[in-house]
């Protein structure tokens, strides 16, 4: 069987890291009877240079026809001052594909314990297992998409002044579908789900809780809890091991997932998946239970113009994003795990790009390598 993957390498380090994600995908399915057809497409700065648009219509239409979209990163100083910006292409791509569920795993991998800024007794590094959480962020609703604008309002004394507003608005359907993504993921993890909101103040959050209480009844084997977002921000630093799956709104998820990412040691390690449907928990090994779901897979980092073209970008976030594509869009859990195991193996062997070098002066068996050597090592470890 042959699947199509839209390949948007993008700008800066995007092409350098996605090349290794492509190679890992190809190698991972060698003995499965499947293969991938990668369709190169332009978006972001590269597309502005070529077509004037950060998301040419042809890119979106072709991407929609593919089984998955693999993205590097978009943006860079070259386009920062223009009217048309690469990041507009990214937002248009996400909403054009309808990918409403953003999954960001944040785990402390044992070989990277010394790259975590938390004390070992807090990160869990001192014990048997470090923290391992999945943040599920609603991606196409809420305050980023609600009504916003400016208006003149009356001030005491008869004068007027400018006011600005943004609107947090969620329908029960939008909340239910993102919660079901969270429950599905929790079902193949440690069976704990925490809904993060601000229900002591916000009406929209109170609707999140109402829907949460109803939907949670369909998942009796999963422990549901609720946290206010301010408390959640503290708990992530104070005791991250308590979390399994966190489900939250677009705005809260944006902030909390960046906070969680820094705990893992480097932005160069973190993959993400944005899905257009609810994955069906495939039992013990997760996956989609056979259903195909269109997804956009990308490392969470940007185009890192400061290191582009220097063979020093960490390709692991892009490679781990490829593993997520296998898991969620192609129902290939075994192959996804093989890629993840290969990444752990090269880290165990001591290979480090600069961003994940040990910070505590204890470099042990570490050896600093470039993008190419790291990518080659992952491929070699991928049986
Ligand atoms: P960035 O993530 O590109 O870089 C932040 C820092 O992390 C830099 O020091 C960079 O060298 C380092 N870094 C990032 N990825 C790395 C990797 N794989 N290996 C090693 N080090 C890595 O964020 P920024 O500097 O704020 O943004 C640069 C450009 O990327 C901007 O134009 C921004 O708009 C864009 N951006 C795009 C996306 C996306 O496409 N999804 C996301 C964030 C930023």
């Amino acid at each position: 069987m042959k699947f199509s993957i839209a390949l948007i390498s993008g700008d800066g380090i995007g092409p350098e890291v996605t090349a290794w994600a492509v190679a890992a995908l190809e190698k991972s399915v060698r003995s499965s009877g499947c293969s991938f057809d990668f369709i190169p497409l332009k978006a972001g700065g590269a597309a502005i240079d070529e077509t004037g648009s950060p998301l040419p219509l042809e890119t979106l239409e072709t991407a929609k026809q593919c089984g998955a979209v693999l993205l590097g990163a978009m943006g860079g100083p070259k386009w920062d001052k223009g009217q048309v910006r690469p990041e507009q292409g990214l937002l248009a791509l996400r909403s054009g594909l309808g990918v409403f569920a953003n999954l960001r795993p944040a785990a402390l991998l044992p070989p990277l314990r010394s790259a975590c800024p938390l004390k070992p007794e807090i990160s869990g590094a001192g014990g048997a297992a470090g923290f391992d959480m999945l943040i599920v962020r609603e991606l196409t609703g809420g305050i980023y998409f609600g009504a916003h604008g400016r208006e003149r309002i009356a001030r005491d004394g008869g004068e007027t002044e400018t006011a600005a507003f943004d609107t947090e608005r969620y329908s029960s359907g939008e909340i239910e579908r993102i919660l079901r993504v969270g429950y599905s993921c929790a079902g193949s993890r440690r069976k704990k789900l925490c809904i993060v909101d601000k229900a002591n103040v916000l009406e929209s959050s109170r609707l999140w809780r109402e829907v949460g209480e109803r939907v949670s009844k369909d998942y009796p084997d999963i422990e549901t809890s609720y946290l206010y977002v301010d408390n959640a921000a503290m708990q992530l630093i104070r005791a991250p091991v308590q979390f399994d799956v966190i489900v939250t709104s677009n705005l809260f998820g944006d902030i909390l997932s960046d906070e969680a990412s820094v705990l893992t040691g480097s932005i160069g390690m973190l993959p993400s998946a944005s899905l257009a449907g609810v994955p069906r928990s495939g039992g013990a090994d997760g996956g989609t239970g056979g259903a195909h779901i269109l997804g956009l897979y990308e490392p969470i980092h940007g185009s890192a113009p400061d290191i582009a073209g220097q063979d020093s970008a960490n390709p692991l976030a892009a490679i781990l994003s490829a593993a997520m594509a296998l898991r969620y869009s192609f129902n290939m859990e075994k192959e996804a795990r093989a890629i993840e195991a290969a990444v752990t193996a090269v880290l165990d062997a001591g290979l480090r790009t600069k961003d994940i070098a040990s910070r505590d002066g204890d470099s042990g068996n570490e050896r600093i390598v470039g993008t190419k050597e790291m990518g080659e090592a992952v491929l070699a470890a991928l049986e």
Side-chain angles (χ1 to χ4, degrees), residues 13 17 71-77 80 85 87 90 94 266-268 298-307 312-315 355:
I13 62 169
V17 296
L71 174 69
M74 298 184 197
D80 271 354
R85 299 191 37 154
E87 293 76 10
L90 185 59
R94 287 174 179 163
S266 169
I267 200 168
E298 54 180 321
I300 73 157
H301 60 72
S303 60
D306 52 329
I307 57 167
S312 65
N314 184 345
D355 58 306

Side-chain angles (χ1 to χ4, degrees), residues 240-292:
V241 286
Q242 71 186 282
F243 293 111
D244 180 17
V245 174
I246 292 175
V247 187
T248 191
S249 64
N250 204 341
L251 174 64
F252 297 158
D254 191 359
I255 298 165
L256 293 181
S257 62
D258 270 22
E259 186 187 348
S261 75
V262 85
L263 304 181
T264 65
S266 169
I267 200 168
M269 288 301 303
L270 287 174
S272 80
S274 301
L275 306 180
V278 179
R280 259 178 277 152
S281 178
D285 61 355
T288 61
H292 172 81

Side-chain angles (χ1 to χ4, degrees), residues 202-239:
L202 300 178
E203 191 56 34
S204 54
S205 285
R206 284 192 275 276
L207 185 60
W208 273 73
R209 287 216 178 189
E210 276 170 44
V211 176
E213 271 150 29
R214 173 169 58 79
V215 172
S216 64
K217 295 197 175 84
D218 293 343
Y219 304 90
D221 58 328
I222 293 175
E223 178 194 323
T224 303
S225 60
Y226 298 86
L227 269 187
Y228 297 141
V229 63
D230 38 356
N231 191 8
M234 279 197 301
Q235 297 299 331
L236 275 176
I237 303 294
R238 204 188 63 79

